[in-house]
Structure formats: C-alpha cells, structure tokens
C-alpha cells in the first residue's frame, strides 16, 4: 500500500478517518492525501484558488469560502500524530464523486479512508449516505469509520462470505491487513432461512477456500440468523471484532435497487470499521 486518500468535510467522522489513515500510513510506509471538494452552484466558473471566469456566484463569497476551507485543512493537518508520514492536501471546486474517482485513477490510490454518519429510514432509501456512494463506485478498497471508533488496533478480523465467488484481489486485501496487524481472521458463513446450508457442507467449502488461497491464522464459523446483515453484526460482537472485511459487487442503478448490497448496508449500520472491496 503506497497511497491513501482521505476525503474530508472536517466533521468529527472525517477527523477520525484522518487519524486512522495516518496510523495505517505509519505502519505501512504509505503517504496520505487529504482532499476537500467544495460543491456549489456554478462550480465550473471557479478554480480552487478563487479565480473566476464569467458568470457564477459572487466572487467574494467564493474567495471567503476557500479561505475558510484552507484554514480548516491546515488545522486538520496539525493533528497528525506521526511526523514520519508524508501528507499532501488539496482543496478543489468540483463534483465530489467525480473528483474522488479521478483522484483514485490519476494518483493510483490504494485505499480510501472515509468517515460516515451512516443513514437509515427514508433517507437511506432515497439517497443513502455519501460514503455509501463511494463504496459502490470506487475501484479501490474503502475503509469506513464512525467518529466513535477507538484506537485502530486490529486483532480480530471478521470475513463474511458465501466462499464461492470471492476474487484473489479481495483475498489479497484481507491477507494484507491481517499481516499488517498480525491479526486473526474469523471466516464466517451466515446461515439464513433463504441461504440455508448444512454445517458440514459450509465448513468444507470454507476449508477449501482457505486452502486454495493459502490463508493462515483463521477460524471457520457458521452463524445462524434471520438476515445476513444482522448475522454479521451479531457474530462480530461475539468475537470482539475490530474490523470487518467484505466484498461488494458495486452494482448501480436499477440492479442496485433490486438487489441492494449487504456491504453498503453494513457501512450504514455498523459501528465497527468496515473495509469493502469490489469483486474484480
């Protein structure tokens, strides 16, 4: 892992994400990029330096907004606890999702770390959370954290799956974080009424999976619950998990509305850090 992106809105959740990103960078030797994107009407008429073209919103307002934002960025940079970590930063005026996707591609980002408040009820159905959209669209792993996430000391990783369709890429990410923290991986299949499988069949499939990818320091687990999301959360609580790593299909549009995504639901509802990876 060489480069970590931290999109920030300077909230408590974003500050915690920056904290954790710098911890990861300190452990891995990566550098961190802090990114703030200002989204306002008429953004094509402004640059991040406050220069204006014809039209758009009032120049004085934009210059003041950029001045405040740069000040917030400097205060966030001052909270870095690891002098050895290289940190760059950028303030831009753009569409946030377009900017994040472009940054990931142009700068070969290996990991995005984002804070999230989550979403529920009608808000979740209509728009979801901003972080959920990044989880769905990003082409690199995304680590999501809440503001109440304590010291990121990972000893127990929960890896929920059906153990049929994971790609080597997802397992590589799992193995990387396991090795980084010398953690134990708890592989778990969530048995629900709609995905029922016998214990013998499920454990054999998990063992075959572990053998195929050469996993080490792991446990095999089957957890019965009514729905997969609840099963993952309940199992994570039982093993005192510090991190959940799981795959997402990254579906968008109508197919996403029909099938949803357990990974995105977990990002919205879990109090634990969630690391999501697209199945490639």
């Amino acid at each position: 892992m060489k480069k970590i992106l931290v999109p920030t809105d300077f909230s408590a959740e974003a500050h915690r994400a920056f904290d954790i990103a710098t911890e990861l960078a300190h452990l891995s030797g990566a550098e961190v990029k802090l990114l703030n994107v200002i989204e306002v009407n008429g953004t094509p008429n402004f640059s991040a330096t406050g220069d204006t073209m014809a039209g758009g919103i009032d120049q004085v307002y934009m210059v003041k907004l950029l001045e405040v934002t740069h000040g917030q960025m400097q205060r966030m940079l001052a909270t870095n606890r690891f002098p050895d970590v290289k940190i760059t930063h950028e303030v831009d005026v753009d569409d946030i999702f377009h900017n994040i996707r472009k940054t990931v591609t142009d700068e070969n980002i290996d990991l995005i770390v984002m804070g999230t408040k989550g979403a529920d009820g009608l808000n979740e159905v209509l728009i979801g959370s901003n972080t959920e959209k990044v989880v769905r669209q990003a082409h690199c792993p995304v680590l999501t954290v809440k503001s109440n996430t304590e010291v990121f000391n990972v000893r127990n990783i929960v890896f929920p799956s059906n153990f049929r369709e994971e790609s080597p890429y997802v397992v590589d990410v799992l193995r990387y974080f396991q090795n980084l923290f010398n953690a134990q991986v708890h592989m778990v299949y969530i048995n629900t009424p709609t995905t029922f499988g016998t214990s013998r069949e499920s454990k054999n499939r998990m063992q075959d999976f572990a053998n195929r990818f050469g996993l080490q320091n792991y446990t095999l687990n089957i957890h019965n619950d009514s729905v997969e999301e609840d099963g993952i959360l309940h199992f994570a609580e039982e093993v005192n998990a510090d991190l959940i790593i799981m795959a997402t299909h990254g579906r968008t549009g109508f197919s996403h509305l029909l099938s949803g995504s357990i990974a995105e639901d977990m990002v919205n509802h879990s109090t634990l850090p969630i690391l999501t990876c697209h199945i490639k």
Side-chain angles (χ1 to χ4, degrees):
M1 183 163 63
K2 295 181 179 179
K3 198 158 190 180
I4 301 170
L5 176 66
V6 185
T8 180
D9 59 0
F10 309 111
S11 63
E13 291 81 9
H15 274 273
R16 192 66 192 104
F18 178 58
D19 249 2
I20 289 175
T22 53
E23 282 188 58
L24 289 172
H26 174 68
L27 287 172
S28 66
E31 67 176 86
V32 174
K33 176 167 184 175
L34 264 176
L35 174 67
N36 175 263
V37 182
I38 300 172
E39 291 187 294
V40 294
N41 292 332
T43 52
N45 299 309
F46 290 85
S47 74
T49 61
D51 298 329
T52 61
M53 284 75 84
I57 64 175
D58 182 73
Q59 179 184 8
V60 175
Y61 168 78
M62 176 55 76
V63 170
K64 184 63 177 177
L65 179 59
L66 286 164
E67 180 183 311
V68 170
T69 301
H70 282 291
Q72 290 175 306
M73 183 69 80
Q74 290 303 316
R75 287 191 290 276
M76 178 172 265
L77 288 167
T79 65
N80 174 35
R81 296 177 290 122
F82 303 100
D84 62 311
V85 174
K86 179 182 177 182
I87 303 174
T88 59
H89 63 280
E90 180 181 354
V91 176
D92 204 355
V93 183
D94 197 355
D95 172 81
I96 185 168
F97 301 111
H98 172 267
N99 195 297
I100 289 173
R101 287 195 300 270
K102 186 174 185 300
T103 302
V104 167
T105 301
D106 292 351
E107 302 193 26
N108 297 314
I109 298 296
D110 300 297
L111 175 70
I112 299 172
V113 182
M114 291 189 73
T116 177
K117 294 182 175 69
D120 52 30
L122 185 59
N123 184 52
E124 181 179 0
V125 172
L126 293 177
I127 59 171
S129 69
N130 287 337
T131 307
E132 180 186 332
K133 296 174 187 175
V134 175
V135 166
R136 191 183 311 150
Q137 297 178 19
H139 295 296
C140 69
V142 180
L143 175 64
T144 58
V145 299
K146 302 291 200 306
S147 61
N148 62 353
T149 302
E150 296 182 358
V151 176
F152 197 58
N153 186 21
V154 179
R155 290 292 174 260
N156 292 290
I157 298 172
V158 167
F159 181 54
S161 174
N162 60 17
F163 301 99
R164 289 190 177 95
E165 56 187 44
E166 303 295 3
S167 70
Y169 170 73
V170 175
V171 181
D172 284 346
V173 173
L174 171 68
R175 189 184 291 110
Y176 181 87
F177 275 83
Q178 179 186 23
N179 292 338
L180 189 64
F181 291 98
N182 192 26
Q184 185 172 45
V185 171
H186 301 279
M187 301 166 59
V188 61
Y189 176 74
I190 306 300
N191 230 353
T192 69
T194 57
T195 61
F196 179 79
T198 67
S199 296
R200 179 185 178 89
E201 172 192 321
S202 300
K203 284 210 169 178
N204 284 342
R205 188 167 65 249
M206 283 191 282
Q207 188 62 67
D208 289 345
F209 181 94
N211 293 342
R212 184 165 76 253
F213 289 106
L215 294 181
Q216 311 242 338
N217 191 17
Y218 60 86
T219 65
L220 305 179
N221 305 273
I222 298 168
H223 184 90
N224 300 315
D225 221 308
S226 54
V227 295
E228 288 172 280
E229 179 188 317
D230 288 347
I232 296 168
L233 292 174
H234 294 157
F235 176 75
E237 185 178 351
E238 287 178 10
V239 298
N240 294 315
D242 305 296
L243 174 66
I244 298 172
I245 297 181
M246 57 194 307
T248 176
H249 291 277
R251 296 187 179 99
T252 59
F254 189 60
S255 64
H256 177 262
L257 291 175
L258 289 176
S259 64
S261 167
I262 295 172
E264 291 167 29
D265 288 343
M266 294 294 297
V267 166
N268 277 332
H269 302 143
S270 174
T271 58
L272 287 171
I274 308 286
L275 179 65
T276 58
C277 315
H278 278 203
I279 294 176
K280 293 191 176 181

